[in-house]
Amino acid sequence: TAGVTDIDASGAATATTGFELFVPYADIGVAGYPRGGMGVAAFVVRTSGEVSNQWLPGLGGGYDNLGLAPDMETIAGQQFAIAPLDVPGDGDGDADVDAADYPYFFDCQTAPDAGAIGAGCNLFDFDGDVDVDLIDFASFQARVFR
């Protein structure tokens, strides 16, 4: 709550604490090991029960508290972020990185600096340079033998 008031967020960077939240998939009705991403948002509800204008991701400037039952369709844009659900290096989607994932890695290998990777191959681009190569293989192997 440090640095943010109901009318000014200019001091938001002064906040030095936060929290993490773990929600089991079963609690939100997701079965098995999902792939892709999930939309998430975080916001503050005031003691009055009103939804505040403090959201992650932000709603953009100019919004006051949104009230007791806000109509989010009146807020321009997308009011959530996509959180990835995929496990880096888990090509077969069984939620662990093991020897069974090697064929998927090799199917995704590209020439150095190829500048493009196939669908699903972002799981193996550990260094984020948009190709899957020997540098990524070292990171992949470290996960297999973890």
Side-chain angles (χ1 to χ4, degrees):
T1 59
V4 178
T5 71
D6 60 342
I7 57 172
D8 182 22
S10 63
T14 63
T16 59
T17 60
F19 63 92
E20 292 182 24
L21 180 67
F22 174 80
V23 179
Y25 289 141
D27 288 357
I28 55 175
V30 176
Y33 302 109
R35 302 297 293 237
M38 177 182 294
V40 295
F43 56 92
V44 174
V45 176
R46 303 175 64 82
T47 55
S48 65
E50 290 181 294
V51 175
S52 80
N53 61 357
Q54 297 176 23
W55 282 65
L56 288 176
L59 299 177
Y63 292 101
D64 200 358
N65 290 330
L66 303 177
L68 292 172
D71 179 359
M72 298 309 292
E73 290 183 7
T74 65
I75 307 290
Q78 182 172 292
Q79 299 89 33
F80 58 91
I82 301 296
L85 299 175
D86 298 319
V87 175
D90 178 26
D92 62 2
D94 65 356
D96 67 352
V97 181
D98 56 18
D101 297 305
Y102 276 98
Y104 297 94
F105 177 89
F106 291 117
D107 285 347
C108 287
Q109 258 188 305
T110 58
D113 302 317
I117 53 179
C121 292
N122 59 323
L123 292 172
F124 300 107
D125 183 20
F126 291 95
D127 62 0
D129 65 352
V130 196
D131 66 11
V132 178
D133 55 20
L134 288 176
I135 294 169
D136 299 304
F137 184 69
S139 297
F140 171 64
Q141 254 190 296
R143 288 183 177 264
V144 169
F145 292 108
R146 189 185 302 187

